[in-house]
Every structure is written in C-alpha cells, then in structure tokens.
Amino acid sequence: MKIEKLVRPSVRGLKAYEAKEIPCKVKLDANESPYGYDISRAKIATNRYPDPEARALRDAIAKTHGVTRESVLLGNGSDELISCLITTFGGPVLHPSPTFVMYANIAIALGEKDVPVALNSEFDLDETAMLAAIRRHKPKLVFLSTPNNPTGNCFDAGAVLRIIERAPGIVVVDEAYQPFAGDKGYCTFLADYPNLVVMRTLSKIGLAALRLGYMVASTQIIAEVNKVRLPYNVNSFSQAHALHALKKGTLMRKAIKTIATEREAMMAAMSAMEGIEVYPSEANFIMFRVADQAAMHAALLKRGVLIKNLGAMVKGCMRVTVGTPSENKAFIKALREALGNGK
Ligand SMILES: *Cc1c(COP(=O)(O)O)cnc(C)c1O
C-alpha cells in the first residue's frame, strides 16, 4: 500500500516545520525572550481535564485589553488559532510576503487558496497591490503581522486600516511582536471594525514553553471560531503558569523594555559596520542583509552564535534575536570578526 497516495494532495507537497536544535553557546535564532519566569506552585489535579473554558486566564487577559471574557479565545500557541480561523472561515487566505510562514502552510494544508502579495522594497505593505488583490480574490481572511516577522518593521497604520475597511472578510492583525513596538497596537480599533481580529502570544515575551496564544475579537467571531476549537486545547499547567506570570506584569514589562533598549544598541553597532545592511525593527529581532547567507551563518556558528538564515524567504538576509546584554555583545563581536572589520 502506498501511504503517499492516501495523503491529501494538498498535504503531499508540504514540508514539516523545521525547528532544528543546533548546539550553540548563544541562541539567537527563534525570537524567544532571554528572560523566563518563575512557575506557579498551584496544585493541579492531574486526573481532571483542564477548565475547558479557561475562565480565570481568559478573565485576566480580557482585563488587560478592557474587554469581556467572551471576546477572548485561547489557543495552544497562536499557531493553533491561525488553524482555527482558517478552518472556520476558509479561503482564499491573503497575506503579504515575506511574512510568517504558518498562514500559507495551514491554508495550503487545509486545501484553501493561498494568495501572497509582495511587500514593497522597504518591506512595507504595497497598498495598491494589496487592495487590488483583495478586490480580485475576495479573501475570507487577510493576515497582517505587524511588526512583521521576519522583516521586523511595523506596517503603515493608514494602509492597515484601509485594508480592514475594504476587505470583504476577516482581517487578522497578528501582534506577536507588538509589546516591543512603539505604537499601541490595533485592539483600540476593535470597536470600530466588526471584521477585525487581533492575535497575541506569550511566546515572544518569556513564556514560549507554555504554548499560549490568544485572539481578541467581537463576541460573534469568537463564538464561531470556538466551534472548531478542540476541547481542552490549553492544558491545566499552561493555564496556571500563564495566570501566575501575568500577575507579574511589571516584571514582564521591564524585561520587554530592556530588550527594546538592547535592540537599539545592537542596531547602532550593526549600522556602523561595513558589509551589511540593517533594516529598521520594532520587534525583538533584527533583519540584516549580508553578501553570503550560508557563509555568515557558518562563521557566526563557528564563534558559538546561532542566528536564523532566512534563505530563499528573504534572499541575502539573516535574522538575529535580541538576547541578554552579554549575548548581544557576543553576537556583535562575532559579527565584526565574521565581516573581517574587527580584530
Ligand atoms: C512566533 C509567531 C507566532 C506563533 O506564536 P505561537 O504562539 O508560539 O504559536 C505567530 N505569529 C508570528 C508573526 C510569529 O512570529
């Protein structure tokens, strides 16, 4: 029996998401926070299913956004919510390119039409092209990651709002990196746009181990997406630990500030180097262009520093995550050596 023949055609051509564990001293490849948090000592009844509605945690999250519990839906990472959204609304699924790969991967796996629209030369939205593609394809879902992964920049807010206004379907603003950005994000627009969904995750702010993402939207959208959410998708440990960590909001905000300050220092040091081009960032990572991606990746790894080679996704570019001050120093030193303009 040929198993391959049994596999859905849309899945046959996919590649599994690669998250290779490369041993290194300084790990700056996955946009994780260098700062973690104490875990909850709450007693968990291991024989019982988790609270299926995660009421306490949803209440805590709802409070931070000034909405009610019914406007919040939790996912096993925001990846799961992307999957739930596409399962609920279907395609076409439209998004700029390059961006986070899961929008396309999940759309394709589910057999939906995927419509990538190229960003302009500054990696901002090409508003004319986006609006034309929206008129032509009438997407059920548009995904906009701002700040965008892997480019690091925020999209022009006017363009984002016009896309939300003109789109015939749902527009998901993915704010995985918003805590590191200067603006306040798009939650304030939820009341104005019934087709807007704002998605967040705890993964980039020190709690990647928990796998916890959430979306904020109208109660009607939440109720529809909740129909396809698998029961008990957020386990008891993640619910308890996330609730515990959120109560330490001050600590988390301080860490986020430190990372943003470090990012600016790294950008300044990198911009002064010859042989690379550094792109603006409002996230916890920086994208930069090099002469030879593979050679740069290897040269840094030889010096103990692991960063992300963006390969064909953004030709010529690399992405480095902001770490602790000492990790960042090690990266800057290794980069200077790799470029041959240091000792
Ligand atoms: C990392 C990332 C996510 C996924 O977050 P999880 O909550 O860990 O699944 C979503 N969107 C963007 C843009 C990301 O970079």
Side-chain angles (χ1 to χ4, degrees):
M1 190 200 285
K2 278 239 161 78
I3 299 294
E4 199 187 298
K5 286 238 167 95
L6 298 174
V7 176
R8 266 184 207 255
S10 62
V11 174
R12 236 177 267 162
L14 288 181
K15 272 216 217 115
Y17 184 81
E18 240 188 289
K20 263 193 260 164
E21 297 270 346
I22 302 174
C24 60
K25 267 208 292 253
V26 179
K27 188 178 181 313
L28 300 176
D29 66 325
N31 298 346
E32 295 149 323
S33 169
Y35 307 109
Y37 298 94
D38 276 353
I39 58 171
S40 161
R41 281 166 191 67
K43 258 219 170 121
I44 286 163
T46 63
N47 56 320
R48 299 293 176 199
Y49 278 110
D51 173 359
E53 293 182 51
R55 282 162 298 185
L57 181 54
R58 277 166 73 214
D59 282 344
I61 290 170
K63 206 169 144 197
T64 67
H65 292 288
V67 297
T68 61
R69 185 198 297 165
E70 290 70 30
S71 299
V72 176
L73 194 71
L74 306 186
N76 189 350
S78 41
D79 287 346
E80 188 186 44
L81 293 174
I82 297 168
S83 182
C84 290
L85 281 159
I86 300 177
T87 304
T88 303
F89 296 103
V93 173
L94 189 143
H95 54 83
S97 173
T99 191
F100 190 51
V101 295
M102 296 313 288
Y103 313 138
N105 284 9
I106 296 171
I108 291 166
L110 293 175
E112 300 294 350
K113 190 177 171 67
D114 174 57
V115 184
V117 180
L119 291 170
N120 67 21
S121 59
E122 289 175 337
F123 298 112
D124 200 352
L125 294 170
D126 180 339
E127 188 178 342
T128 312
M130 285 291 285
L131 292 176
I134 285 170
R135 278 194 302 275
R136 173 148 179 243
H137 296 278
K138 302 181 178 54
K140 292 272 171 48
L141 280 161
V142 175
F143 284 96
L144 302 173
S145 163
T146 182
N148 187 39
N149 180 13
T151 57
N153 56 308
C154 281
F155 294 143
D156 178 76
V160 171
L161 293 178
R162 285 186 288 276
I163 287 168
I164 297 169
E165 275 165 21
R166 311 264 171 93
I170 305 287
V171 178
V172 183
V173 177
D174 183 345
E175 294 191 334
Y177 302 98
Q178 197 285 327
F180 304 101
D183 67 24
K184 288 211 158 42
Y186 288 84
C187 273
T188 50
F189 295 106
L190 283 165
D192 304 328
Y193 300 109
N195 61 332
L196 174 61
V197 170
V198 176
M199 204 164 60
R200 293 274 187 115
T201 176
L202 303 190
S203 294
K204 314 294 154 72
I205 54 175
L207 297 164
L210 301 184
R211 303 298 301 127
L212 194 91
Y214 62 90
M215 53 181 258
V216 188
S218 73
T219 54
Q220 197 184 356
I221 291 178
I222 296 294
E224 292 298 336
V225 180
N226 192 38
K227 292 180 190 168
V228 306
R229 179 179 66 88
L230 295 179
Y232 314 112
N233 63 327
V234 179
N235 70 68
S236 305
F237 300 89
S238 292
Q239 287 188 33
H241 295 326
L243 190 59
H244 183 76
L246 286 178
K247 285 188 183 145
K248 303 200 171 168
T250 325
L251 251 177
M252 293 178 86
R253 276 191 293 277
K254 216 176 123 194
I256 289 164
K257 236 187 183 162
T258 305
I259 291 164
T261 308
E262 276 293 304
R263 176 190 69 210
E264 295 308 308
M266 276 167 89
M267 295 259 278
M270 291 166 75
S271 300
M273 291 181 199
E274 278 182 34
I276 57 170
E277 187 184 351
V278 185
Y279 293 97
S281 170
E282 299 204 46
N284 67 338
F285 59 84
I286 299 165
M287 186 173 82
F288 61 104
R289 186 174 292 279
V290 298
D292 183 333
Q293 286 170 301
M296 176 56 78
H297 191 261
L300 292 174
L301 196 55
K302 207 175 84 186
R303 291 168 173 84
V305 182
L306 178 65
I307 70 169
K308 173 99 171 163
N309 178 355
L310 295 172
M313 191 180 8
V314 196
K315 281 206 189 85
C317 288
M318 317 288 291
R319 189 192 69 194
V320 60
T321 306
V322 180
T324 61
S326 71
E327 287 173 331
N328 302 336
K329 231 178 245 159
F331 161 72
I332 292 292
K333 180 166 177 280
L335 179 61
R336 207 170 264 138
E337 288 173 5
L339 289 167
N341 49 15
K343 282 156 274 141

